[in-house]
Amino acid sequence: MTGKIETRLAELGITLPDAPAPAANYVPFVQTGSQLFVSGQISAGPEGMIKGRLGADMDVAEGAIAARFCGLSLIAQARAVLGDLDRVKRVVKLTGFVNSTADFTDQPEVVNGCSNLMVEVFGEAGRHARSAVSAVSLPRGVAVEIEAIFEIE
């Protein structure tokens, strides 16, 4: 039987990517007690890494799309460890890093691409605490990186 979150993903027309493998000396997630910490997921879509700098060569809408792809990878990592996304009780916190110019101030609108996805997929349990900050650069030149904490059963 398909779980309610998998059903919801299908209703939304969302296919999760495979959970990305770590690119350095870290693990993709750590489960401790009822919390699942998912390492930062970089903006990457079917065509590869989404690179750019907000305020220079990317606009807010493009950044929000990049952040949404980060969210898809976060959910994919949760599914990889939990097996069943119905075990996610709540999205507790997202921390978003936006590769942007010094004068760019719309980081919250960019990270909304991920936040909105969490609410679409998990409903009220997808509402979360959040930080959205600027970074002068991100790994491999990507536009966005986001990490998550989930409460799980």
Side-chain angles (χ1 to χ4, degrees):
M1 183 171 132
T2 302
K4 70 176 186 170
I5 299 300
E6 293 290 342
T7 299
R8 181 72 180 139
L9 288 168
E11 290 170 356
L12 293 169
I14 295 172
T15 301
L16 293 178
D18 291 334
N25 187 18
Y26 64 91
V27 294
F29 47 78
V30 170
Q31 180 181 343
T32 180
S34 64
Q35 291 189 321
L36 177 65
F37 294 79
V38 179
S39 295
Q41 301 296 299
I42 60 173
S43 51
E47 312 296 310
M49 287 188 273
I50 301 169
K51 298 181 178 186
R53 182 173 242 193
L54 281 290
D57 55 6
M58 291 184 81
D59 64 24
V60 171
E62 292 169 313
I65 290 168
R68 183 178 177 89
F69 278 111
C70 293
L72 292 171
S73 292
L74 289 166
I75 296 169
Q77 291 289 2
R79 182 170 68 183
V81 67
L82 301 173
D84 179 2
L85 287 171
D86 287 354
R87 290 185 57 202
V88 173
K89 289 177 64 176
R90 176 158 200 136
V91 180
V92 176
K93 182 164 187 201
L94 299 178
T95 303
F97 302 92
V98 179
N99 184 353
S100 57
T101 60
D103 60 344
F104 184 81
T105 59
D106 292 330
Q107 292 83 2
E109 289 77 9
V110 170
V111 179
N112 275 348
C114 182
S115 292
N116 293 345
L117 174 69
M118 295 300 168
V119 174
E120 286 175 43
V121 172
F122 296 105
E124 282 300 307
R127 296 199 182 282
H128 50 271
R130 186 181 86 178
S131 298
V133 299
S134 181
V136 69
S137 69
L138 289 175
R140 314 292 186 248
V142 297
V144 182
E145 180 174 352
I146 303 176
E147 62 185 28
I149 302 170
F150 297 94
E151 181 184 3
I152 59 173
E153 295 181 337

